Amino acid sequence: MNKNGYVRREGGIEREATSAPKQDEPALPRGISIGIIGPEELVQRILNVLKAFPSFRPIAKTYDTVDEAPGLAEEIADEAEVILASGPVPYNAIREQVRTSAALHYVPLTDTGFYRALSRLKNALGPERRLRVSVDTLGKPMIAKALAEIDETRAEALPYDGPANASKEMLAAHHALLFESGACDAALTAEASVAKALSERGIPNEWIIPTDGNITVALERALLSTETRQSKEAQIVVGLINVDHFERLIQTRASEHEIQKFKLDIHRMLLDYVASLDGYLTHLGGDEYLFFTTRGIFERITGGYKSISLGRSMYRKFGLSLSIGMGFGRSANEAGTNARAALRKSKDAGGDTCFIVGEDRALIGPLAMSDPLEAALALTDAGLIKRAEDAGMTSVYLSKLMAQVARTGQTDYKVHELAAMLDITVRSTHRLLQQWLDHRLIAVADVEKVPKGRPRQIFRLTFLRDAKGG
């Protein structure tokens, strides 16, 4: 809550600041400076979504034509820690013409934006009419998949297959050539200036605008890429776990043997979860546990402080709920104190939840007690998790691989890289890779020749590449 009494929200999570600057202190610019470059309509949309990211301090620059994008980027290159272009076209123009140390990102386009633009175009030209549409920026596989998913048989898409860094003039000329030759009836473009040029020539068109979800993804990636955030990735995080109504659950056990076995089962599941965080767990006695991890890993595994998969797993297996408090701090003592405050908040909220108290005494939460990993994989293949388990891929290994691919986007690895990632020997990694190959979870992507010795195989995590939609 700021000095005016407002509660800010970060990524859909309530964020309540417990302290405010003194009235006599001068207002200083705070946060990570991010340059926003694009057409006015899109920049305004990005700024609206940016309100959920209080870590950012925006520097907005708008253009009438995409040719102005590199010049605007140069204006803010020394001030911005990260630059976000509104789409692939201005991003390519900035990347090719501007030398800057700022991290450069763009807002991606997905099938949702394509659906919306196609629907508007069909409504304008006649919903029942068979439509041939030229499309730029979006790839042929994405377009084909999008049309198949909505069972669209009255629309034919003609994707642009020219250079990825095509200029506004090249894209406009491509659409115009197809339209004037009778090959298409209208155009879908990802760039506002191209849409404007087509409209001036009387060519029916729609501008594919990113959704708020696309913008949120881009902002989250930009946040993770900044030096400010990277310096925090190694920060120690303290977590406190309390088993809700533990004494009542113990009383339902018939013997001391069953009680001890129940406690061991709980401890084992907690160990597995903390292992996925590369953390350290210790039992404080009774119904309470303490663990340590790092902020970067915790942020990735929880999807940016959105959900704790442990909650659902514990309920499914044992029918019990957890109260979790996470503490960030500039020292271990501060992080531990904040974790205790966060745990009290979770208990006060009735349990079965998780809160975070940051180093600025800000409260983040409640986090969803769900399983984002299973949800993400279910989108691709409902049986994928079972296949992974059958192939000897434990939940710990699966979490580590998912986190690495989510962070880097890389799906091809050498044996020693995977061994380091999984924290096991190269020999053990070779054994696992053979099992995963047999179950078709991975494939040999390439072979690297070395001056001496046998060539090294490069393995592709095909099951995670598919989970990403790539």
Side-chain angles (χ1 to χ4, degrees), residues 129-141:
R129 174 183 174 183
R130 182 168 181 81
L131 198 62
R132 297 167 300 167
V133 186
S134 61
V135 186
D136 65 45
T137 306
L138 298 180
K140 186 175 181 179

Side-chain angles (χ1 to χ4, degrees), residues 183-197:
C184 75
D185 308 302
L188 291 177
T189 177
E191 177 51 43
S193 55
V194 174
K196 182 179 179 181

Side-chain angles (χ1 to χ4, degrees), residues 174-345:
H174 168 75
H175 291 297
L177 179 63
L178 290 177
F179 179 78
E180 290 166 1
S181 67
C184 75
D185 308 302
L188 291 177
T189 177
E191 177 51 43
S193 55
V194 174
K196 182 179 179 181
L198 294 176
S199 296
E200 289 173 351
R201 298 177 69 163
I203 299 174
N205 69 89
E206 278 293 339
W207 176 21
I208 306 174
I209 302 176
T211 64
D212 287 355
N214 299 149
I215 295 170
T216 298
V217 168
L219 289 171
E220 287 175 345
R221 290 175 179 170
L223 186 60
L224 287 172
S225 73
T226 62
E227 290 183 7
T228 302
R229 178 49 58 99
Q230 288 172 358
S231 67
K232 288 185 177 181
E233 286 215 341
Q235 182 181 0
I236 294 296
V237 172
V238 176
L240 286 169
I241 301 174
N242 187 272
V243 182
D244 296 331
H245 314 298
F246 187 67
E247 289 301 322
R248 190 169 65 194
L249 290 167
I250 289 297
Q251 292 173 7
T252 63
R253 266 48 189 183
S255 66
E256 181 64 23
H257 174 76
E258 286 191 14
I259 291 174
Q260 294 303 321
K261 186 174 181 298
F262 182 56
K263 290 180 178 179
L264 284 172
D265 289 340
I266 293 173
H267 198 139
R268 188 176 295 111
M269 178 170 283
L270 293 177
L271 278 172
D272 284 345
Y273 179 74
V274 173
S276 74
L277 298 172
D278 278 342
Y280 174 82
L281 175 78
T282 187
H283 186 199
L284 298 181
D287 57 0
E288 196 162 277
Y289 297 81
L290 170 74
F291 70 92
F292 300 89
T293 184
T294 57
R295 186 165 180 167
I297 293 174
F298 181 71
E299 185 174 75
R300 288 191 291 275
I301 295 297
T302 58
Y305 315 139
K306 292 182 176 65
S307 59
I308 297 282
S309 62
L310 178 63
R312 178 175 292 180
S313 300
M314 191 67 73
Y315 182 80
R316 284 177 174 175
K317 189 159 187 178
F318 303 116
L320 55 81
S321 63
L322 303 174
S323 294
I324 304 174
M326 302 298 304
F328 301 162
R330 300 171 184 86
S331 67
N333 179 52
E334 183 181 30
T337 301
N338 289 342
R340 181 63 63 183
L343 180 61
R344 284 197 298 268
K345 178 68 176 177

Side-chain angles (χ1 to χ4, degrees), residues 446-465:
D446 202 354
V447 176
E448 180 185 57
K449 295 182 179 179
V450 294
K452 294 182 179 180
R454 298 172 60 185
R456 296 173 184 165
Q457 290 180 313
I458 299 174
F459 296 93
R460 177 164 296 160
L461 308 179
T462 52
F463 74 106
L464 289 185
R465 180 199 62 190

